[in-house]
mmCIF file of all heavy atoms in Angstrom:
data_model
loop_
_atom_site.group_PDB
_atom_site.id
_atom_site.type_symbol
_atom_site.label_atom_id
_atom_site.label_comp_id
_atom_site.label_asym_id
_atom_site.label_seq_id
_atom_site.Cartn_x
_atom_site.Cartn_y
_atom_site.Cartn_z
ATOM 1 N N SER A 114 44.327 233.824 -19.143
ATOM 2 C CA SER A 114 43.854 232.667 -19.916
ATOM 3 C C SER A 114 42.415 232.314 -19.559
ATOM 4 O O SER A 114 41.623 231.923 -20.428
ATOM 5 C CB SER A 114 44.780 231.470 -19.701
ATOM 6 O OG SER A 114 44.905 231.164 -18.316
ATOM 7 N N ASP A 115 42.038 232.443 -18.290
ATOM 8 C CA ASP A 115 40.632 232.240 -17.913
ATOM 9 C C ASP A 115 39.746 233.272 -18.605
ATOM 10 O O ASP A 115 38.683 232.955 -19.139
ATOM 11 C CB ASP A 115 40.460 232.364 -16.399
ATOM 12 C CG ASP A 115 40.800 231.088 -15.650
ATOM 13 O OD1 ASP A 115 41.193 230.104 -16.301
ATOM 14 O OD2 ASP A 115 40.683 231.083 -14.407
ATOM 15 N N ALA A 116 40.186 234.530 -18.564
ATOM 16 C CA ALA A 116 39.390 235.603 -19.157
ATOM 17 C C ALA A 116 39.188 235.375 -20.648
ATOM 18 O O ALA A 116 38.089 235.578 -21.181
ATOM 19 C CB ALA A 116 40.071 236.944 -18.913
ATOM 20 N N GLU A 117 40.242 234.942 -21.341
ATOM 21 C CA GLU A 117 40.121 234.669 -22.773
ATOM 22 C C GLU A 117 39.162 233.504 -23.023
ATOM 23 O O GLU A 117 38.325 233.545 -23.941
ATOM 24 C CB GLU A 117 41.486 234.368 -23.366
ATOM 25 C CG GLU A 117 41.449 234.110 -24.866
ATOM 26 C CD GLU A 117 42.811 233.812 -25.465
ATOM 27 O OE1 GLU A 117 43.834 233.938 -24.747
ATOM 28 O OE2 GLU A 117 42.861 233.436 -26.651
ATOM 29 N N MET A 118 39.268 232.466 -22.227
ATOM 30 C CA MET A 118 38.410 231.296 -22.401
ATOM 31 C C MET A 118 36.932 231.663 -22.265
ATOM 32 O O MET A 118 36.074 231.185 -23.014
ATOM 33 C CB MET A 118 38.781 230.222 -21.380
ATOM 34 C CG MET A 118 37.896 228.994 -21.416
ATOM 35 S SD MET A 118 38.042 228.062 -22.956
ATOM 36 C CE MET A 118 39.585 227.180 -22.656
ATOM 37 N N PHE A 119 36.614 232.533 -21.319
ATOM 38 C CA PHE A 119 35.220 232.887 -21.064
ATOM 39 C C PHE A 119 34.769 234.125 -21.851
ATOM 40 O O PHE A 119 33.626 234.565 -21.702
ATOM 41 C CB PHE A 119 34.992 233.107 -19.568
ATOM 42 C CG PHE A 119 34.981 231.838 -18.767
ATOM 43 C CD1 PHE A 119 36.112 231.433 -18.074
ATOM 44 C CD2 PHE A 119 33.856 231.036 -18.725
ATOM 45 C CE1 PHE A 119 36.115 230.255 -17.334
ATOM 46 C CE2 PHE A 119 33.844 229.866 -17.994
ATOM 47 C CZ PHE A 119 34.982 229.462 -17.300
ATOM 48 N N GLY A 120 35.672 234.698 -22.644
ATOM 49 C CA GLY A 120 35.290 235.823 -23.489
ATOM 50 C C GLY A 120 35.189 237.142 -22.769
ATOM 51 O O GLY A 120 34.423 238.026 -23.187
ATOM 52 N N HIS A 121 35.958 237.304 -21.689
ATOM 53 C CA HIS A 121 35.943 238.550 -20.919
ATOM 54 C C HIS A 121 37.360 239.110 -20.844
ATOM 55 O O HIS A 121 37.946 239.221 -19.764
ATOM 56 C CB HIS A 121 35.411 238.318 -19.498
ATOM 57 C CG HIS A 121 34.026 237.803 -19.434
ATOM 58 N ND1 HIS A 121 33.628 236.763 -18.618
ATOM 59 C CD2 HIS A 121 32.903 238.178 -20.100
ATOM 60 C CE1 HIS A 121 32.345 236.522 -18.772
ATOM 61 N NE2 HIS A 121 31.877 237.377 -19.674
ATOM 62 N N THR A 122 37.931 239.455 -21.965
ATOM 63 C CA THR A 122 39.349 239.825 -21.983
ATOM 64 C C THR A 122 39.623 241.237 -21.473
ATOM 65 O O THR A 122 40.761 241.570 -21.162
ATOM 66 C CB THR A 122 39.919 239.696 -23.407
ATOM 67 O OG1 THR A 122 39.110 240.477 -24.308
ATOM 68 C CG2 THR A 122 39.901 238.241 -23.859
ATOM 69 N N ASP A 123 38.598 242.073 -21.385
ATOM 70 C CA ASP A 123 38.784 243.444 -20.907
ATOM 71 C C ASP A 123 38.664 243.478 -19.388
ATOM 72 O O ASP A 123 37.572 243.313 -18.837
ATOM 73 C CB ASP A 123 37.737 244.359 -21.546
ATOM 74 C CG ASP A 123 37.842 245.795 -21.045
ATOM 75 O OD1 ASP A 123 38.930 246.193 -20.581
ATOM 76 O OD2 ASP A 123 36.818 246.508 -21.095
ATOM 77 N N MET A 124 39.790 243.697 -18.714
ATOM 78 C CA MET A 124 39.802 243.690 -17.245
ATOM 79 C C MET A 124 38.840 244.743 -16.684
ATOM 80 O O MET A 124 38.066 244.473 -15.764
ATOM 81 C CB MET A 124 41.222 243.948 -16.733
ATOM 82 C CG MET A 124 41.356 243.944 -15.213
ATOM 83 S SD MET A 124 41.008 242.315 -14.504
ATOM 84 C CE MET A 124 41.544 242.542 -12.806
ATOM 85 N N ALA A 125 38.885 245.942 -17.247
ATOM 86 C CA ALA A 125 37.995 247.000 -16.752
ATOM 87 C C ALA A 125 36.536 246.620 -16.947
ATOM 88 O O ALA A 125 35.678 246.956 -16.124
ATOM 89 C CB ALA A 125 38.309 248.316 -17.457
ATOM 90 N N GLY A 126 36.241 245.893 -18.017
ATOM 91 C CA GLY A 126 34.873 245.495 -18.269
ATOM 92 C C GLY A 126 34.378 244.400 -17.354
ATOM 93 O O GLY A 126 33.154 244.224 -17.193
ATOM 94 N N ARG A 127 35.310 243.646 -16.744
ATOM 95 C CA ARG A 127 34.886 242.566 -15.841
ATOM 96 C C ARG A 127 34.406 243.097 -14.499
ATOM 97 O O ARG A 127 33.605 242.441 -13.813
ATOM 98 C CB ARG A 127 36.038 241.564 -15.626
ATOM 99 C CG ARG A 127 36.415 240.788 -16.866
ATOM 100 C CD ARG A 127 37.202 239.537 -16.548
ATOM 101 N NE ARG A 127 38.501 239.752 -15.942
ATOM 102 C CZ ARG A 127 39.636 239.968 -16.619
ATOM 103 N NH1 ARG A 127 39.610 240.024 -17.945
ATOM 104 N NH2 ARG A 127 40.799 240.118 -15.991
ATOM 105 N N TYR A 128 34.878 244.243 -14.081
ATOM 106 C CA TYR A 128 34.493 244.773 -12.770
ATOM 107 C C TYR A 128 32.997 245.014 -12.643
ATOM 108 O O TYR A 128 32.361 244.545 -11.678
ATOM 109 C CB TYR A 128 35.284 246.046 -12.453
ATOM 110 C CG TYR A 128 36.622 245.773 -11.819
ATOM 111 C CD1 TYR A 128 37.774 245.731 -12.582
ATOM 112 C CD2 TYR A 128 36.732 245.544 -10.452
ATOM 113 C CE1 TYR A 128 39.017 245.470 -11.998
ATOM 114 C CE2 TYR A 128 37.954 245.284 -9.855
ATOM 115 C CZ TYR A 128 39.097 245.252 -10.641
ATOM 116 O OH TYR A 128 40.308 244.983 -10.057
ATOM 117 N N PRO A 129 32.351 245.736 -13.563
ATOM 118 C CA PRO A 129 30.899 245.936 -13.391
ATOM 119 C C PRO A 129 30.110 244.642 -13.465
ATOM 120 O O PRO A 129 29.066 244.525 -12.811
ATOM 121 C CB PRO A 129 30.538 246.904 -14.534
ATOM 122 C CG PRO A 129 31.661 246.820 -15.504
ATOM 123 C CD PRO A 129 32.884 246.512 -14.707
ATOM 124 N N ILE A 130 30.587 243.670 -14.232
ATOM 125 C CA ILE A 130 29.904 242.371 -14.268
ATOM 126 C C ILE A 130 29.960 241.713 -12.891
ATOM 127 O O ILE A 130 28.958 241.186 -12.393
ATOM 128 C CB ILE A 130 30.550 241.455 -15.324
ATOM 129 C CG1 ILE A 130 30.438 242.067 -16.715
ATOM 130 C CG2 ILE A 130 29.903 240.065 -15.302
ATOM 131 C CD1 ILE A 130 31.180 241.296 -17.794
ATOM 132 N N ALA A 131 31.149 241.760 -12.271
ATOM 133 C CA ALA A 131 31.320 241.147 -10.957
ATOM 134 C C ALA A 131 30.502 241.868 -9.890
ATOM 135 O O ALA A 131 29.854 241.228 -9.047
ATOM 136 C CB ALA A 131 32.799 241.147 -10.577
ATOM 137 N N LEU A 132 30.495 243.179 -9.920
ATOM 138 C CA LEU A 132 29.777 243.933 -8.892
ATOM 139 C C LEU A 132 28.272 243.711 -9.006
ATOM 140 O O LEU A 132 27.573 243.601 -7.977
ATOM 141 C CB LEU A 132 30.105 245.422 -9.008
ATOM 142 C CG LEU A 132 31.583 245.793 -8.800
ATOM 143 C CD1 LEU A 132 31.764 247.302 -8.835
ATOM 144 C CD2 LEU A 132 32.125 245.225 -7.494
ATOM 145 N N GLU A 133 27.765 243.615 -10.234
ATOM 146 C CA GLU A 133 26.339 243.340 -10.381
ATOM 147 C C GLU A 133 26.005 241.910 -9.953
ATOM 148 O O GLU A 133 24.934 241.657 -9.385
ATOM 149 C CB GLU A 133 25.918 243.570 -11.835
ATOM 150 C CG GLU A 133 24.410 243.593 -12.022
ATOM 151 C CD GLU A 133 24.030 244.037 -13.415
ATOM 152 O OE1 GLU A 133 24.060 245.263 -13.682
ATOM 153 O OE2 GLU A 133 23.716 243.158 -14.244
ATOM 154 N N ALA A 134 26.946 240.978 -10.191
ATOM 155 C CA ALA A 134 26.731 239.603 -9.739
ATOM 156 C C ALA A 134 26.610 239.530 -8.220
ATOM 157 O O ALA A 134 25.829 238.718 -7.688
ATOM 158 C CB ALA A 134 27.873 238.714 -10.220
ATOM 159 N N ILE A 135 27.377 240.357 -7.499
ATOM 160 C CA ILE A 135 27.257 240.388 -6.032
ATOM 161 C C ILE A 135 25.839 240.781 -5.625
ATOM 162 O O ILE A 135 25.259 240.207 -4.686
ATOM 163 C CB ILE A 135 28.286 241.361 -5.430
ATOM 164 C CG1 ILE A 135 29.712 240.870 -5.705
ATOM 165 C CG2 ILE A 135 28.062 241.515 -3.926
ATOM 166 C CD1 ILE A 135 30.790 241.861 -5.302
ATOM 167 N N GLU A 136 25.253 241.741 -6.313
ATOM 168 C CA GLU A 136 23.878 242.143 -6.011
ATOM 169 C C GLU A 136 22.917 240.966 -6.201
ATOM 170 O O GLU A 136 21.997 240.762 -5.385
ATOM 171 C CB GLU A 136 23.462 243.299 -6.925
ATOM 172 C CG GLU A 136 24.243 244.586 -6.739
ATOM 173 C CD GLU A 136 23.748 245.663 -7.697
ATOM 174 O OE1 GLU A 136 22.518 245.785 -7.869
ATOM 175 O OE2 GLU A 136 24.586 246.373 -8.284
ATOM 176 N N VAL A 137 23.124 240.211 -7.265
ATOM 177 C CA VAL A 137 22.257 239.052 -7.518
ATOM 178 C C VAL A 137 22.388 238.038 -6.387
ATOM 179 O O VAL A 137 21.385 237.512 -5.875
ATOM 180 C CB VAL A 137 22.620 238.390 -8.867
ATOM 181 C CG1 VAL A 137 21.773 237.135 -9.077
ATOM 182 C CG2 VAL A 137 22.425 239.363 -10.026
ATOM 183 N N ILE A 138 23.624 237.750 -5.989
ATOM 184 C CA ILE A 138 23.882 236.752 -4.939
ATOM 185 C C ILE A 138 23.218 237.167 -3.633
ATOM 186 O O ILE A 138 22.541 236.362 -2.976
ATOM 187 C CB ILE A 138 25.396 236.548 -4.766
ATOM 188 C CG1 ILE A 138 25.986 235.856 -5.999
ATOM 189 C CG2 ILE A 138 25.697 235.746 -3.502
ATOM 190 C CD1 ILE A 138 27.499 235.882 -6.052
ATOM 191 N N LEU A 139 23.400 238.409 -3.246
ATOM 192 C CA LEU A 139 22.812 238.879 -1.993
ATOM 193 C C LEU A 139 21.287 238.798 -2.030
ATOM 194 O O LEU A 139 20.646 238.410 -1.044
ATOM 195 C CB LEU A 139 23.265 240.317 -1.711
ATOM 196 C CG LEU A 139 24.721 240.483 -1.298
ATOM 197 C CD1 LEU A 139 25.099 241.953 -1.253
ATOM 198 C CD2 LEU A 139 24.964 239.841 0.066
ATOM 199 N N LYS A 140 20.691 239.142 -3.165
ATOM 200 C CA LYS A 140 19.233 239.064 -3.270
ATOM 201 C C LYS A 140 18.764 237.619 -3.228
ATOM 202 O O LYS A 140 17.767 237.294 -2.579
ATOM 203 C CB LYS A 140 18.770 239.737 -4.562
ATOM 204 C CG LYS A 140 17.252 239.780 -4.693
ATOM 205 C CD LYS A 140 16.801 240.631 -5.872
ATOM 206 C CE LYS A 140 15.272 240.706 -5.910
ATOM 207 N NZ LYS A 140 14.793 241.579 -7.004
ATOM 208 N N ALA A 141 19.505 236.724 -3.898
ATOM 209 C CA ALA A 141 19.120 235.307 -3.911
ATOM 210 C C ALA A 141 19.218 234.690 -2.525
ATOM 211 O O ALA A 141 18.428 233.801 -2.177
ATOM 212 C CB ALA A 141 19.986 234.542 -4.898
ATOM 213 N N TRP A 142 20.180 235.113 -1.736
ATOM 214 C CA TRP A 142 20.342 234.581 -0.386
ATOM 215 C C TRP A 142 19.224 235.002 0.560
ATOM 216 O O TRP A 142 18.998 234.366 1.580
ATOM 217 C CB TRP A 142 21.666 235.047 0.192
ATOM 218 C CG TRP A 142 22.845 234.225 -0.226
ATOM 219 C CD1 TRP A 142 22.834 232.996 -0.816
ATOM 220 C CD2 TRP A 142 24.219 234.574 -0.067
ATOM 221 N NE1 TRP A 142 24.122 232.560 -1.025
ATOM 222 C CE2 TRP A 142 24.986 233.508 -0.576
ATOM 223 C CE3 TRP A 142 24.876 235.683 0.450
ATOM 224 C CZ2 TRP A 142 26.378 233.514 -0.573
ATOM 225 C CZ3 TRP A 142 26.261 235.701 0.455
ATOM 226 C CH2 TRP A 142 27.011 234.621 -0.056
ATOM 227 N N GLN A 143 18.559 236.092 0.253
ATOM 228 C CA GLN A 143 17.608 236.660 1.204
ATOM 229 C C GLN A 143 16.182 236.719 0.653
ATOM 230 O O GLN A 143 15.307 237.308 1.291
ATOM 231 C CB GLN A 143 18.065 238.075 1.602
ATOM 232 C CG GLN A 143 19.454 238.070 2.249
ATOM 233 C CD GLN A 143 19.970 239.462 2.560
ATOM 234 O OE1 GLN A 143 19.378 240.175 3.359
ATOM 235 N NE2 GLN A 143 21.069 239.845 1.944
#
Side-chain angles (χ1 to χ4, degrees):
S114 56
D115 277 1
E117 182 180 353
M118 176 65 79
F119 287 99
H121 299 134
T122 55
D123 178 23
M124 181 65 170
R127 293 198 296 274
Y128 274 96
I130 299 174
L132 298 184
E133 192 171 281
I135 296 173
E136 296 180 42
V137 176
I138 291 167
L139 288 171
K140 184 171 183 177
W142 277 346
Q143 300 176 63

